[in-house]
Amino acid sequence: MRSIIIDCDPGIDDALALLLAAGSVELAILAVTTVAGNRPAPVTAANARKILDLAGKFAVPVYAGASRPFGGSDARCNLVHGEDGLGGVVLAAAGAVAPGHAAQKLVQLLQEHPADTLELVAVGPLTNLALAEMLSPGVLRRARRLLIMGGAVHVPGNITPAAEFNFYADPQAAHIVLGAQAEIVLFPLDVTGKAIMDDAWIGSFSALGSRSGRAAAAMLAAYAAQDPLLHDACPVAYLLEPGLFSGAPCEVAVDWRSGPTEGHVLAYFEERRGAAFAPNTLVITGVHNADLLALVHRRIAGLP
């Protein structure tokens, strides 16, 4: 069993990632931390609590985090997932969000556990991780790996031609985290754009007859019309079955400056003239989609 922390901004695809983790006995979820992203910070924290309660993970604490990006402006939220972030699907929350700030909790957990033992999955804007690194320089290097959904390398962004949403929402944070010299596996739009769900697969969750299955089917049906991709499930699936994915080491930086290329990923996959090749990230670009869909369905089928 591997200990993980999930930093997220639920969001329907975040909800699916949480359900996938909750349904996998190999993973011990120590905490879920949340950030403003798909919706404002209070909404994403409440949504994470609802999803964990839905999955029967009442003991897993949720800690709310950053409400705005490093630049100090308002959060760059979207409405892809609906006003409530869950496509209008009503879920009851039995528990409450835990006291304390997500960034401080990340520092605490990473310092309390031996180095190279915690896996940190980040599937929203990276503000909480960057704040943790600022609070305790070097703390992100204590994680065994950072598995990050964000960026677009060889493909266009989904917010601007240059930028994917998570990196666009807080490019300064992405710049800090990718430069923290931690072990990073990056899941950009290059791979998540291939993680495609279809109507039959979404409908199959209803047939499970469980509360988690019914909720997954309803949320995904609301989401698929806008963006039928399993973005945030990919890093969790990689923890479970890395052979489903392919990628290559890469030297990555993020353009954090305001302007048309804000949030753009600059990636070098080989040595370039006048500069040594110094890869700092494993960039995932391929996925066996049918096997990914089967894995997600199989694990959610085991939930209440």
Side-chain angles (χ1 to χ4, degrees):
M1 182 177 287
R2 281 166 291 170
S3 297
I4 68 169
I5 305 167
I6 302 176
D7 188 79
C8 56
D9 61 333
I12 294 169
D13 54 337
D14 305 74
L16 200 69
L18 290 173
L19 291 175
L20 174 59
S24 300
V25 296
E26 307 95 318
L27 305 178
I29 309 172
L30 299 185
V32 170
T33 55
T34 60
V35 63
N38 285 313
R39 300 306 299 135
V43 178
T44 59
N47 285 351
R49 181 70 271 160
K50 291 175 184 178
I51 295 298
L52 290 171
D53 290 352
L54 173 73
K57 296 294 183 179
F58 304 104
V60 176
V62 173
Y63 298 92
S67 59
R68 62 178 187 266
F70 258 73
S73 60
D74 293 337
R76 293 174 168 176
C77 299
N78 64 59
L79 285 171
V80 172
H81 306 262
E83 190 67 39
D84 65 349
L86 298 178
V89 177
V90 178
L91 300 177
V97 174
H101 194 283
Q104 293 173 321
K105 183 54 62 170
L106 287 172
V107 171
Q108 179 186 338
L109 290 170
L110 288 168
Q111 289 179 339
E112 284 179 350
H113 288 75
D116 299 321
T117 59
L118 297 189
E119 309 260 17
L120 180 48
V121 177
V123 293
L126 295 176
T127 316
N128 287 334
L129 276 67
L131 285 171
E133 184 67 15
M134 298 293 284
L135 287 169
S136 180
V139 74
L140 294 180
R141 293 199 297 274
R142 293 186 59 82
R144 181 167 180 250
R145 286 179 301 193
L146 310 182
L147 298 103
I148 297 171
M149 189 276 127
V153 177
H154 297 302
V155 299
N158 57 1
I159 296 297
T160 72
E164 173 274 335
F165 173 75
N166 286 342
F167 282 16
Y168 178 79
D170 196 341
Q172 292 182 9
H175 169 73
I176 291 168
V177 172
L178 291 179
Q181 299 181 332
E183 188 78 17
I184 295 175
V185 185
L186 184 67
F187 299 80
L189 294 180
D190 304 60
V191 64
T192 66
K194 301 170 185 174
I196 304 169
M197 54 186 174
D198 56 47
D199 291 342
W201 182 78
I202 293 170
S204 68
F205 286 102
S206 295
L208 295 176
S210 63
R211 68 186 188 220
S212 294
R214 289 190 296 271
M219 287 188 291
L220 291 173
Y223 174 55
Q226 299 288 330
D227 188 16
L229 303 173
L230 302 179
H231 297 289
D232 294 345
C234 286
V236 178
Y238 183 89
L239 284 173
L240 301 169
E241 295 189 20
L244 297 180
F245 299 87
S246 59
C250 181
E251 186 177 348
V252 172
V254 178
D255 187 350
W256 53 269
R257 301 165 299 177
S258 179
T261 59
E262 185 177 15
H264 176 65
V265 172
L266 184 63
Y268 298 102
F269 285 89
E270 59 187 13
E271 186 173 338
R272 59 199 186 278
R273 181 177 298 178
F277 181 47
N280 61 349
T281 303
L282 176 62
V283 175
I284 304 299
T285 55
V287 61
H288 296 286
N289 189 52
D291 294 333
L292 172 65
L293 294 178
L295 171 64
V296 174
H297 190 277
R298 188 165 63 248
R299 297 309 174 89
I300 293 178
L303 291 172

